[in-house]
Amino acid sequence: MVLPAVFAFGIDPSAGPGLTFITMPAIFSQMPFGQFFAVMFFLLLIFAAITSSVSLLEPIVAFLIDEFNIQRQKATLMTCVAVFTLSIPAALSFGVLADFHIFGKNPFDLMDYAASNVMMPAGGLLAALFAGWAIWPRVQASLIAQDAARILPAFRAICAVVAPIVICVIWAHNL
């Protein structure tokens, strides 16, 4: 929805995460009842952000509950405070911390790079290796129980060998 409007209005597509906040107001200003639709769009965007953040925080909260026997309310509060505190540098990256750089990147860009180019590939690699090697007997039993025994050799080869190699090649190319 945003990218066609970016090109239609001649906006630079490399503007990054703020592109929605540049493009959408330009679209809504050209529409009949644009102000109403703008308010609705940004309210729904806030709702989407909040529900997404809940789904991102839940695994951390569940881990704290399961592993450390912490009450849900306390685990949720601890997680929210930690995430809020860690997000402050990213939020200030285009203001007060605009001139602060680590490895040539401001805090927002550094966190974006770390999440996209380091943590996500590492997580995928570890998940594939874990499923293909560490817990293979449980995965195998689960697939047999689901009447998927015929795909076991291919699934094991993909998880244990092919996926890790492909992830490493892509990861090395993007670093």
Side-chain angles (χ1 to χ4, degrees):
M1 179 170 145
V2 173
L3 288 178
V6 165
F7 295 111
F9 284 98
I11 298 170
D12 180 20
S14 65
L19 206 53
T20 299
F21 302 101
I22 297 168
T23 309
M24 297 311 292
I27 292 172
F28 292 128
S29 70
Q30 303 292 318
M31 293 173 56
F33 304 106
Q35 193 171 20
F36 169 77
F37 288 113
V39 169
M40 294 306 296
F41 174 81
F42 286 110
L43 282 174
L44 291 172
L45 189 62
I46 289 170
F47 182 73
I50 290 170
T51 56
S52 294
S53 66
V54 168
S55 70
L56 291 170
L57 293 174
E58 179 57 28
I60 301 167
V61 171
F63 174 78
L64 292 173
I65 292 169
D66 293 344
E67 297 299 320
F68 298 106
N69 204 23
I70 298 173
Q71 294 177 341
R72 175 171 286 281
Q73 189 173 17
K74 185 176 179 181
T76 302
L77 182 62
M78 287 170 48
T79 303
C80 288
V81 167
V83 169
F84 177 80
T85 303
L86 292 172
S87 68
I88 291 172
L92 298 176
S93 290
F94 300 104
V96 177
L97 296 178
D99 295 328
F100 179 74
H101 290 83
I102 303 170
F103 303 117
K105 298 179 183 305
N106 67 29
F108 179 87
D109 291 334
L110 184 64
M111 288 179 186
D112 178 51
Y113 179 84
S116 301
N117 297 336
V118 177
M119 289 187 248
M120 286 177 57
L125 179 63
L126 291 174
L129 290 172
F130 192 68
W133 295 100
I135 62 164
W136 177 249
R138 287 176 43 192
V139 171
Q140 186 177 20
S142 176
L143 291 173
I144 290 171
Q146 295 175 20
D147 199 27
R150 65 187 179 283
I151 67 165
L152 282 176
F155 188 77
R156 174 89 190 262
I158 290 169
C159 283
V161 179
V162 176
I165 290 171
V166 170
I167 291 169
C168 287
V169 167
I170 293 170
W171 195 4
H173 183 267
N174 287 333
L175 288 178

